[in-house]
Amino acid sequence: MRGYRQKLKKNGFKLTPGREAIIAFFSGKNHYATPETVWKEVRKSLPRLGLPTVYRNLEQMRKINILTQVDGAENRFYFGLCRAKNPGEHHHHISCQKCRRVSEVENCYLQSLTKEIKEKTGFQITGHKLQLTGVCKDCR
Amino acid sequence: MRGYRQKLKKNGFKLTPGREAIIAFFSGKNHYATPETVWKEVRKSLPRLGLPTVYRNLEQMRKINILTQVDGAENRFYFGLCRAKNPGEHHHHISCQKCRRVSEVENCYLQSLTKEIKEKTGFQITGHKLQLTGVCKDCR
DNA sequence: AATCTAAATAGAAACCATTTCTATTTGTAA
DNA sequence: TTACAAATAGAAATGGTTTCTATTTAGATT
Ligand SMILES: [Mn+2]
Ligand SMILES: [Mn+2]
Ligand SMILES: [Zn+2]
Ligand SMILES: [Zn+2]
């Protein structure tokens, strides 16, 4: 919790009640949630917090790698706390299709494939996005 | 071109002018396009074709693996012709960030990682979506 | 060729997650 | 305490996508 405060300050963001409440919300559970879900929950303690503010804060905290964003079903965003050892480093996430739990996949196994794909397709690979779906330990 | 007609009929779809025009649009170029782009182009020969019809047709043809769909930037859909040897088989696509050219990546290199990821995260992997970005031969 | 019917369509409207706007408030450094 | 840029609330707009319904059409049957 303290770590997030430092990270916000270091990046020039103020410590607003909204930001603190959003982080507190995610700290309680290691699951993804939509902006609206976050809003409805956080509003219980901050009734005047607006949904646009939640969107703004989620995006800002994603930019500084406090949160991670997943493009979920139906073209909606999901956010979750990034718990990687080094959140700024390239890595992936896997989410449970039953309970939305998130886990870090800190090794990226794809970099080694760059050469092979280049030979086959002629493309110089500049990036990739990997969306892993599964069932977590507790849901089996 | 003839192949697509067979595929449509086999799946119980009628051969409408709209569907033929959409396939003709994609056959001319091997690039992704948004529904709106498809619509604006196809409308030149079929002025009465509606945008909802384009959406419907794109989705139907994606379901029977004539087209492939990519979740592009800004939460928009992109569609392109699938040119895999066996379009129904699991595979990926890479798209050029400059010209939107699509290439098939028919080998999926990720299946072998299932075991390793399971050991590290406890997740049983049930699926994945890989979005590869690069620069194609012609754009370099 | 005429008839039939489920599939497909056009056009308008609705949907709804997300973004923008502006006047007001607030965190924080001095 | 004061000053001010950052942040906010609330309302409105945005825009890609979907839904709705009356009408048309592709293709099978005669
Ligand atoms: Mn992470
Ligand atoms: Mn394909
Ligand atoms: Zn789970
Ligand atoms: Zn290119």
Side-chain angles (χ1 to χ4, degrees):
Chain A
M1 193 72 185
R2 171 53 53 108
Y4 300 123
R5 291 199 178 126
Q6 286 177 352
K7 208 164 192 176
L8 283 170
K9 295 204 116 173
K10 193 171 60 186
N11 287 274
F13 290 108
K14 294 180 178 173
L15 260 57
T16 63
R19 290 191 181 120
E20 302 240 40
I22 290 170
I23 288 172
F25 165 83
F26 280 117
S27 296
K29 39 183 128 285
N30 50 352
H31 296 74
Y32 281 106
T34 62
E36 202 189 353
T37 303
V38 175
W39 178 55
K40 284 184 176 161
E41 190 61 30
V42 167
R43 229 151 69 110
K44 292 179 183 169
S45 57
L46 294 174
R48 299 185 48 113
L49 194 74
L51 185 53
T53 299
V54 172
Y55 271 94
R56 224 182 300 114
N57 286 348
L58 289 173
E59 169 63 11
Q60 290 160 342
M61 295 201 274
R62 182 198 62 76
K63 268 189 186 151
I64 61 177
N65 295 306
I66 288 178
L67 299 178
T68 178
Q69 179 182 351
V70 168
D71 296 349
E74 312 116 25
N75 261 8
R76 298 191 68 180
F77 295 154
Y78 285 79
F79 289 86
L81 212 57
C82 180
R83 292 187 154 86
K85 279 120 199 162
N86 184 353
E89 208 167 79
H90 173 81
H91 65 283
H92 299 287
H93 302 88
I94 185 167
S95 61
C96 176
Q97 61 194 25
K98 300 207 173 169
C99 72
R100 294 221 161 79
R101 178 194 303 266
V102 194
S103 277
E104 312 289 330
V105 178
E106 307 205 33
N107 285 16
C108 175
Y109 308 88
L110 291 166
Q111 268 135 12
S112 55
L113 304 173
T114 301
K115 206 178 75 188
E116 190 170 347
I117 292 178
K118 182 174 178 180
E119 280 165 10
K120 282 195 177 148
T121 65
F123 272 73
Q124 168 101 44
I125 296 177
T126 58
H128 64 264
K129 215 173 84 178
L130 176 62
Q131 192 69 50
L132 291 160
T133 315
V135 185
C136 77
K137 221 174 345 190
D138 294 355
C139 286
R140 271 192 271 122
Chain B
M1 192 73 184
R2 171 52 52 110
Y4 300 123
R5 291 198 178 127
Q6 286 177 352
K7 207 164 194 176
L8 283 170
K9 295 202 116 173
K10 193 171 60 183
N11 290 90
F13 291 107
K14 295 179 177 175
L15 261 56
T16 62
R19 289 191 181 120
E20 302 240 41
I22 290 170
I23 288 171
F25 165 83
F26 280 116
S27 295
K29 39 181 130 286
N30 50 352
H31 296 75
Y32 281 105
T34 62
E36 201 188 354
T37 302
V38 175
W39 179 56
K40 283 184 176 162
E41 190 62 30
V42 167
R43 231 150 69 108
K44 293 178 183 170
S45 57
L46 294 174
R48 300 185 47 113
L49 193 73
L51 185 52
T53 300
V54 172
Y55 270 94
R56 222 182 303 114
N57 286 348
L58 290 173
E59 168 63 12
Q60 290 160 343
M61 294 199 275
R62 183 198 62 77
K63 268 190 185 150
I64 60 178
N65 295 309
I66 288 178
L67 300 178
T68 177
Q69 180 182 352
V70 167
D71 295 349
E74 313 116 25
N75 260 8
R76 296 190 70 179
F77 296 154
Y78 285 80
F79 289 86
L81 212 57
C82 181
R83 291 186 154 87
K85 280 117 197 162
N86 184 354
E89 208 167 79
H90 173 81
H91 65 282
H92 299 287
H93 303 89
I94 185 167
S95 60
C96 176
Q97 60 194 24
K98 299 205 173 170
C99 72
R100 293 221 162 80
R101 177 195 302 268
V102 194
S103 275
E104 312 289 331
V105 178
E106 307 206 32
N107 284 16
C108 175
Y109 309 87
L110 290 167
Q111 268 134 12
S112 55
L113 303 174
T114 300
K115 206 178 74 187
E116 191 170 347
I117 292 177
K118 182 173 179 182
E119 279 166 10
K120 282 196 179 146
T121 65
F123 272 73
Q124 167 101 44
I125 295 178
T126 57
H128 64 264
K129 216 173 84 179
L130 177 62
Q131 192 69 49
L132 291 159
T133 314
V135 184
C136 78
K137 221 172 348 191
D138 295 355
C139 286
R140 270 191 271 122

